[in-house]
Amino acid sequence: MVKDECGCVITRKYASDFLIKRVYDKPKGKEIATVRIDESRWFKLFYDGEKITYKSSECPVTIITLEALCEAFEEKKDPKEFLNSIKGFTLNDIAKKVMEQFLGVINEKSGLHS
């Protein structure tokens, strides 16, 4: 279950929920990757031993994708299925690039998802 800073359970099912209720955008732990998607979109991933967090450009597609991927990682859900289940969100080229890069980092640091 995803919880906010005060411990309340958060249920996010619409794309706007992932923008309004950001849970993973407060970097904690060691930086494990810096990724540039294009000239204006980028993100950094951090890992504190149990949770992945990020810092990114203010692109809504990037933020929604990263929030969903971090949640899928924490909840051990299939990332692509989880992204496709978000109402009002289309898995476009930017989201696919973010997902590929995110999963590439996870695979490279294979000890993260055990």
Side-chain angles (χ1 to χ4, degrees), residues 45-64:
L45 295 178
F46 300 82
Y47 186 64
D48 69 358
E50 64 180 60
K51 201 177 221 184
I52 291 184
T53 54
Y54 71 91
K55 182 176 181 171
S56 74
S57 56
E58 282 297 311
C59 167
V61 173
T62 301
I63 292 167
I64 293 166

Side-chain angles (χ1 to χ4, degrees), residues 42 52 78 99:
W42 58 270
I52 291 184
D78 179 84
M99 181 176 67

Side-chain angles (χ1 to χ4, degrees), residues 13-66:
K13 62 181 179 177
Y14 296 99
S16 59
D17 295 340
F18 288 85
L19 283 173
I20 294 168
K21 300 173 186 171
R22 296 184 198 179
V23 176
Y24 300 98
D25 68 334
K26 295 152 193 73
K28 293 179 185 166
K30 180 182 173 193
E31 182 178 329
I32 58 171
T34 298
V35 177
R36 181 157 292 284
I37 301 300
D38 58 30
E39 287 186 29
S40 61
R41 294 175 185 91
W42 58 270
F43 64 90
K44 294 180 179 191
L45 295 178
F46 300 82
Y47 186 64
D48 69 358
E50 64 180 60
K51 201 177 221 184
I52 291 184
T53 54
Y54 71 91
K55 182 176 181 171
S56 74
S57 56
E58 282 297 311
C59 167
V61 173
T62 301
I63 292 167
I64 293 166
T65 305
L66 287 169

Side-chain angles (χ1 to χ4, degrees), residues 55-104:
K55 182 176 181 171
S56 74
S57 56
E58 282 297 311
C59 167
V61 173
T62 301
I63 292 167
I64 293 166
T65 305
L66 287 169
E67 283 287 325
L69 291 170
C70 289
E71 184 172 330
F73 176 84
E74 187 173 330
E75 299 289 323
K76 295 180 175 50
K77 296 178 181 175
D78 179 84
K80 190 170 183 177
E81 282 181 27
F82 190 67
L83 282 167
N84 284 325
S85 74
I86 299 171
K87 295 180 184 205
F89 185 70
T90 301
L91 197 57
N92 65 15
D93 288 341
I94 296 165
K96 287 177 185 174
K97 286 179 185 176
V98 171
M99 181 176 67
E100 288 169 8
Q101 294 293 327
F102 182 96
L103 295 176

